[in-house]
Amino acid sequence: MNAHDDLGLIEAIVARARAAQAAYEEGADQARYDRAAQAAGWAIMEPTRNRTLAELAVKTTGLGNVPDKIIKNHRKTLGLLRDIAEAQTHGVISDDPATGITEIVRPVGVVGAVVPSTNPAATPANNIINALKGGNAIIVAPSPKGVASCELLLDYIHAEFDKVGLDRDLVQMVPAPGSKAKTQALMEACDRVICTGSQNNVHRAQTAGTPAVAVGAGNVITIVDETADLQAAAEKITASKTFDNATSCSSENAAVVVDAVYDAFVGEMAKAGGALVPADQADTIIGKLWPDGHLNREVIAQDADKMLLALGMGDQVPAETKFIAVETDGIGADHPLSGEKLSRVLALYRASDYEAAVETAKRVLNYQGAGHSVGIHTAQDARAVELGRSMPTCRVIVNQAHTFATGGSFTNGMPFSLSMGCGSWGGNSIDDNLHWRHFIQTTKVIREIPAREPSLDDVFGAYWAEAGR
């Protein structure tokens, strides 16, 4: 199929989506939008389908593990449905006599969602549910490895749609085989682009000419200070680092530990399953993790035994090892351990004191992952607040397992999401978790009200008193 055929194919899909969306919106009410979101949610959460999707995802992408993907599909979707349950996405949402403005929520139209292979069911489902809740149609563009999972997910969603009388054309995907040309055509033809994935995809989304909500790169570093509960910190970092074999952009890629507790933390980390690799062996790990300048596919998002075998570490660490922590002090392009590793490999930095730890964390984020998030394990909450004032980050995760906390948790107040905006630091238009508000827009009815014009003295009085006229 040539580029012209690709364009025609996408145009036809978008046309069907526009027709379905117009009918979906016409005569709709909140209950209709809610029911559609619930249908898509049950399509992935029904236990048998959830397991089938998880198994297919691991089989076709080679990334992550089935038990954790089942948990992710379930909890991310359940949390999202909780978040949006009371959200009003239809009709008049405010009517203010003081301003004379009535605000009416409206769909954005046809959403084009570019999604990664790391979460080939959970991320599309998240986008689809948000889109339907807002009265939109959506077309998903999966990565090549994620096509099979996306196709099956849509089969399940369409089966649920049939039960409640919804048009299948509300949820479509770019048909296989995927291609950059098809994805580009979708991004140019839809009304809003939602993009989660590689920085190349993000750049293309933001330059396609269609309003885009895209998210930056992850490269989480977490600080362990001298006041931290070291056992809890080690256990949380381990749980987070190893979940779904570190496929999440919120997985810790580095930890920086204050010298006063470094040895004690390493001991607690060992109990939790983290094996220390001394700095003098770091080059060996680097050579096997990036054998040709690219991440080794035999290491990326693999179970611990497979990863250790590929790194030649199988007989050099305890049998119960869940991840390795490689001592390093280098940061930047010449020090690949300081970047995102998408594997059960943690870079471990040692800092002379807390201030030095903060400086290390800041340098790592400025190299890669600025805007995404930073973690801290501490008994001093004021330190977390100060990080929020000074670090190039949109999130400071305090005393939590980072992977579970960043994208929303039942034990914190963040919206459930698989896409984290990174603000200006990460080159993004949003600084919060992607959520339902990014899938709607509003129309305002503006009426005349009594004049509220201030005098010059009201505006400039304080300034004149200080600076003169």
Side-chain angles (χ1 to χ4, degrees):
M1 183 175 287
N2 59 40
H4 183 268
D5 293 332
D6 283 345
L7 183 59
L9 184 64
I10 297 301
E11 286 178 345
I13 291 172
V14 172
R16 295 205 307 272
R18 290 201 186 286
Q21 190 277 324
Y24 181 46
E25 183 181 4
E26 184 178 356
D29 56 17
Q30 189 65 62
R32 188 179 194 185
Y33 291 171
D34 291 348
R35 193 68 70 244
Q38 291 165 345
W42 186 237
I44 186 174
M45 283 184 66
E46 191 279 321
T48 300
R49 291 183 295 212
N50 184 354
R51 172 169 288 279
T52 303
L53 284 165
E55 290 172 346
L56 181 63
V58 173
K59 178 181 178 181
T60 55
T61 69
L63 305 173
N65 64 74
V66 171
D68 288 350
K69 286 203 182 294
I70 291 172
I71 293 171
K72 185 181 294 186
N73 290 345
H74 180 89
R75 290 179 65 84
K76 285 290 187 181
T77 309
L78 180 64
L80 172 61
L81 291 170
R82 182 208 66 179
D83 288 347
I84 67 174
E86 302 300 323
Q88 187 178 350
T89 57
H90 183 275
V92 174
I93 57 172
S94 69
D95 193 9
D96 187 358
T99 63
I101 294 176
T102 299
E103 192 170 8
I104 304 166
V105 67
R106 306 285 299 280
V108 299
V110 176
V111 175
V114 182
V115 296
S117 58
T118 47
N119 297 305
T123 300
N126 190 282
N127 288 331
I128 289 165
I129 291 167
N130 278 319
L132 293 170
K133 174 74 177 185
N136 306 288
I138 182 169
I139 302 168
V140 180
S143 68
K145 288 185 177 181
V147 167
S149 294
C150 198
E151 286 177 337
L152 184 58
L153 173 64
L154 264 59
D155 284 347
Y156 291 156
I157 290 174
H158 290 158
E160 292 299 316
F161 276 13
D162 292 347
K163 295 179 183 178
V164 291
L166 290 167
D167 190 340
R168 291 184 170 203
D169 283 344
L170 285 170
V171 179
Q172 300 179 73
M173 65 177 282
V174 173
S179 69
K180 289 183 178 180
K182 289 179 183 177
T183 300
Q184 186 69 28
L186 172 63
M187 292 192 297
E188 293 175 2
C190 68
D191 299 307
R192 178 164 297 172
V193 176
I194 304 293
C195 181
T196 307
S198 70
Q199 290 310 288
N200 179 53
N201 281 347
V202 167
H203 174 73
R204 288 171 56 221
Q206 293 178 327
T207 56
T210 301
V213 178
V215 299
N219 186 36
V220 169
I221 182 167
T222 193
I223 297 169
V224 180
D225 78 6
E226 72 280 6
T227 73
D229 180 331
L230 299 182
Q231 178 182 347
E235 290 173 351
K236 289 173 181 177
I237 289 170
T238 300
S240 173
K241 180 64 187 170
T242 60
F243 184 75
D244 202 21
N245 294 347
T247 54
S248 171
C249 61
S250 298
S251 175
E252 289 90 339
N253 276 279
V256 53
V257 183
V258 171
D259 183 73
V261 295
Y262 185 88
D263 292 337
F265 173 77
V266 168
E268 292 295 341
M269 184 179 68
K271 295 177 188 176
L276 183 71
V277 177
D280 60 9
Q281 296 180 35
D283 286 345
T284 300
I285 298 296
I286 291 171
K288 292 185 177 180
L289 192 50
W290 290 274
D292 56 359
H294 299 89
L295 278 168
N296 185 345
R297 293 191 175 277
E298 295 182 9
V299 175
I300 296 175
Q302 298 301 307
D303 292 340
D305 56 345
K306 294 180 181 178
M307 176 205 71
L308 292 170
L309 183 63
L311 293 176
M313 298 290 294
D315 57 354
Q316 298 185 40
V317 295
E320 65 275 11
T321 295
K322 298 176 182 177
F323 73 99
I324 60 171
V326 186
E327 289 186 317
T328 185
D329 57 9
I331 298 170
D334 294 333
H335 304 279
L337 284 171
S338 64
E340 194 168 30
K341 293 169 281 296
L342 290 173
S343 61
R344 294 170 176 250
V345 178
L346 182 81
L348 188 62
Y349 295 88
R350 186 171 190 154
S352 58
D353 54 24
Y354 176 70
E355 288 71 25
V358 171
E359 184 59 30
T360 294
K362 188 176 295 185
R363 287 175 58 206
V364 168
L365 289 185
N366 280 328
Y367 163 58
Q368 190 179 108
H372 193 286
S373 52
V374 64
I376 183 170
H377 292 272
T378 184
Q380 297 188 24
D381 191 72
R383 285 183 167 178
V385 175
E386 184 54 37
L387 288 180
R389 296 179 186 275
S390 63
M391 295 288 281
T393 190
C394 294
R395 298 161 196 81
V396 179
I397 305 300
V398 186
N399 295 328
Q400 296 170 75
H402 210 104
T403 292
F404 309 130
T406 315
S409 168
F410 294 114
T411 57
N412 70 31
M414 292 297 286
F416 275 81
S417 179
L418 291 107
S419 306
M420 273 54 79
C422 300
S424 62
W425 298 290
N428 299 163
S429 61
I430 64 170
D431 60 5
D432 52 1
N433 291 5
L434 180 75
H435 62 283
W436 62 271
R437 289 185 182 88
H438 301 118
F439 292 77
I440 59 170
Q441 55 195 350
T442 61
T443 296
K444 296 169 183 65
V445 180
I446 302 105
R447 305 174 186 85
E448 191 172 42
I449 60 173
R452 300 177 357 187
E453 182 178 356
S455 69
L456 289 178
D457 190 65
D458 290 335
V459 174
F460 293 108
Y463 176 75
W464 289 337
E466 180 180 335
R469 292 189 179 227

